[in-house]
Amino acid sequence: MTAKSAVAVAVVGTLLILSVPLPAPLPEDAPARGAVFAWDRDAYWRSLEAAFTRLRTAECAETARITAVEITALAALTDGLRGRVALPTDPVFDRLERGLFEVGPAVAACPDQLAAYVALYGRMRVIVKEQSREWDVGSVVVRDRLYRSLYGGRAAVEEVMLQHPERMAALRRGVDEPSRTPSAEIQGVRVHSGDIVVSRGGYPTSALIARGNDYPGNFSHVALVHVDDASHDVSMIEAHIERGVTVTTADQYLRDKKLRLMLLRPRADLPQLAADPMLPHRAASRMLARARGGHIPYDFAMDYTDPSRLFCSEVASTPYRELGVTLWTGISTISASGLRRWLAAFGVRHFATQEPSDLEYDPQLVVVAEWHDPATLAQDHIDNAVVDVMLEGAERGDALTFAWYRLPVARVLKAYSWMRTRFGGVGPIPEGMAPAAALRHASFSTRQRRLAERVRREAEVVAATRGYQPPYWVLLALARDAASGGRR
């Protein structure tokens, strides 16, 4: 055999070896206490849409008058919860939920009461979170109630706001919880050191993180705010899949594409904060020092009990826990078998973990502010619908596949990435992610983007035909149609 032939054989042999796929990791058993939440109210959603289309042709002055009376009654019902402790099973919460849903079509048809309707939800959110301070947030009954009230109420309000994007307020203020930690102003709101920002990224996997648990949520990312007590410079501490834990300025943080943004703050009357009002600042300072002190890898396994590697939620939970405040009193579970199989293929090993959306339901935290943008909110809904449908496919057995011939290249890129990481750089395949997992990640992202673009185009056709923006249940139908190749 000539030297050239030997080299050729060696190259081919190496490629063949590198092309041999490893079996996709099998997920661990489902969490013992987990259960997938389901609304199961398709007929009800369609009835709300029918009411909306009917009211669009009615006299708006009379509709607005009736709506104002209904909103006032719901506000009074909400305020009636102040000063008493209500169980999560109290019928008043069902009445509030039903009332918020059923007044929505009238507000969407005649938006004069839009501001009052949005304010009503904010009022309900404050009261429900105050009531939940006396509840066992780890129980299914409580988790269902918080989800129905907070997530469901938000969903109702967003459906209405998206019908009138020109009236959508960019900033919605919540409770200006007092804090004695250093502060600075960002986006029209005063933030304090130790505050927590939850957001939703614009990437396909951001939608998967938000939707991929037993209570599909709105948020995919967590960042911890640090404000310097001398300069008042703001640092955002967060964990990224590509780079691990990083520290950026507020401007850099906001430049990264976000479809949602919410600011949360620990309650000032928590016993730990009452004893030490600077505790949030000390927590943020502790994590800032650790992030600047050396590289912290990203935790793909989602093990919130291991502080050596951190995913985004741990950036906030770890320093607070070290100082005696346990955030995430309600831990998310991931029970669906297809979803666990997909997440295991990405490297996830723990299916009871700290999901970013959980923080909205944590009674120890208050919502200080939330920012909205019509275009990004509409894209958020489309991405959610597409991922929800893709996860339906996962439960039917759909797999995350990739072309076999891409594996050798991915393995070479992984070796290159490993070298870059050793010298402080960032390679094309993140540290801690296997080559096959990176290819599955790319496959998922490509398909999600393709389906989302098709749903976006079809939604525009529906809007032009019907004269209003398609609600979420219509987006789901469009996504199912797109996923099936257009065959109903």
Side-chain angles (χ1 to χ4, degrees):
M1 180 182 294
T2 65
K4 288 184 178 179
S5 298
V7 170
V9 169
V11 170
V12 171
T14 300
L15 288 174
L16 289 174
I17 292 172
L18 291 175
S19 300
V20 176
L22 296 174
L26 295 176
E28 296 178 358
D29 293 338
R33 64 177 179 83
V36 179
F37 178 89
W39 287 96
D40 288 331
R41 303 183 75 183
D42 290 353
Y44 183 62
W45 310 140
R46 289 192 292 271
S47 73
L48 295 177
E49 185 178 4
F52 166 62
T53 57
R54 183 178 66 254
L55 288 167
R56 291 179 74 225
T57 63
E59 173 56 48
C60 250
E62 179 63 12
T63 299
R65 185 189 67 77
I66 295 172
T67 301
V69 172
E70 292 174 339
I71 289 175
T72 299
L74 288 170
L77 188 62
T78 301
D79 290 341
L81 284 166
R82 292 188 183 277
R84 75 179 182 92
V85 177
L87 295 174
T89 53
D90 192 310
V92 69
F93 295 112
D94 290 327
R95 292 201 295 273
L96 289 173
E97 176 189 307
R98 186 169 58 252
L100 194 67
F101 280 141
E102 293 181 358
V103 79
V107 180
C110 300
D112 285 352
Q113 294 297 317
L114 178 58
Y117 181 66
V118 173
L120 172 65
Y121 168 66
R123 203 169 186 165
M124 287 183 180
R125 178 170 63 189
V126 170
I127 296 295
V128 170
K129 283 182 70 70
E130 286 179 353
Q131 288 289 335
S132 71
R133 298 174 187 179
E134 305 298 325
W135 299 345
D136 175 12
V137 181
S139 76
V140 172
V141 171
V142 171
R143 186 62 183 255
D144 282 358
R145 172 57 64 202
L146 287 170
Y147 187 73
R148 295 177 72 97
S149 296
L150 302 186
Y151 176 88
R154 174 198 302 283
V157 166
E158 288 181 359
E159 291 294 350
V160 175
M161 292 195 304
L162 285 171
Q163 298 303 325
H164 302 283
E166 74 286 351
R167 291 175 178 246
M168 190 182 299
L171 169 63
R172 180 149 51 111
R173 295 183 184 276
V175 177
D176 187 15
E177 186 71 7
S179 173
R180 288 167 56 181
T181 69
S183 66
E185 187 166 306
I186 298 177
Q187 299 279 90
V189 174
R190 183 151 294 276
V191 302
H192 285 261
S193 196
D195 285 357
I196 299 168
V197 179
V198 290
S199 62
R200 168 67 176 275
Y203 304 102
T205 46
S206 298
L208 178 61
I209 293 169
R211 309 302 291 175
N213 62 82
D214 288 345
Y215 294 87
N218 288 310
F219 301 100
S220 62
H221 191 61
V222 175
L224 183 61
V225 179
H226 179 274
V227 181
D228 188 270
D229 52 4
S231 67
H232 294 279
D233 289 339
V234 177
S235 297
M236 306 297 291
I237 316 162
E238 48 187 335
H240 290 283
I241 289 174
E242 302 85 358
R243 301 186 300 277
V245 177
T246 64
V247 179
T248 62
T249 66
D251 288 342
Q252 290 170 329
Y253 173 81
L254 293 170
R255 277 200 296 270
D256 192 24
K257 183 178 181 182
K258 291 177 176 60
L259 305 185
R260 292 179 182 272
L261 204 61
M262 175 188 280
L263 180 67
L264 299 164
R265 183 172 301 151
R267 287 166 32 210
D269 63 352
L270 292 177
Q272 302 91 327
L273 270 69
D276 178 9
M278 294 297 288
L279 186 150
H281 179 56
R282 292 201 297 119
S285 298
R286 179 176 291 221
M287 183 51 66
L288 180 67
R290 185 179 170 196
R292 288 177 171 169
H295 175 61
I296 307 172
Y298 189 85
D299 180 9
F300 284 94
M302 304 286 281
D303 181 1
Y304 67 92
T305 65
D306 177 10
S308 64
R309 297 172 178 266
L310 302 178
F311 61 95
C312 67
S313 298
E314 291 178 280
V315 169
S317 68
T318 299
Y320 268 104
R321 183 175 64 245
E322 292 171 350
L323 295 176
V325 177
T326 301
L327 301 177
W328 277 271
T329 48
I331 296 295
S332 275
T333 50
I334 302 170
S335 300
S337 59
L339 172 58
R340 286 187 293 110
R341 180 167 45 84
W342 276 19
L343 293 177
F346 288 147
V348 176
R349 295 290 174 269
H350 296 266
F351 299 101
T353 191
Q354 296 172 338
E355 294 282 357
S357 291
D358 293 337
L359 280 189
E360 183 181 4
Y361 315 128
D362 193 323
Q364 300 173 105
L365 301 172
V366 298
V367 178
V368 177
E370 190 169 0
W371 291 265
H372 291 112
D373 174 78
T376 58
L377 187 59
Q379 185 61 52
D380 170 278
H381 282 214
I382 290 172
D383 287 346
N384 284 355
V386 168
V387 168
D388 284 353
V389 168
M390 291 176 73
L391 292 179
E392 291 175 356
E395 297 312 305
R396 293 192 299 267
D398 290 354
L400 297 171
T401 59
F402 56 86
W404 66 269
Y405 54 81
R406 297 182 63 193
L407 189 54
V409 176
R411 284 173 167 163
V412 170
L413 290 175
K414 179 62 180 179
Y416 169 71
S417 300
W418 182 87
M419 293 178 62
R420 288 288 308 268
T421 302
R422 299 287 75 75
F423 293 97
V426 177
I429 296 182
E431 179 185 16
M433 178 180 280
L439 292 175
R440 294 186 189 101
H441 180 281
S443 174
F444 170 85
S445 298
T446 298
R447 185 161 187 255
Q448 195 277 340
R449 287 192 179 101
R450 176 173 55 81
L451 292 175
E453 177 57 24
R454 178 170 174 180
V455 171
R456 185 191 63 77
R457 293 196 304 267
E458 293 297 327
E460 289 176 351
V461 173
V462 171
T465 303
R466 300 185 185 182
Y468 60 87
Q469 296 299 317
Y472 191 72
W473 47 93
V474 174
L475 294 178
L476 278 174
L478 295 176
R480 289 182 181 121
D481 187 51
S484 67
R487 301 183 300 276
R488 291 192 182 276

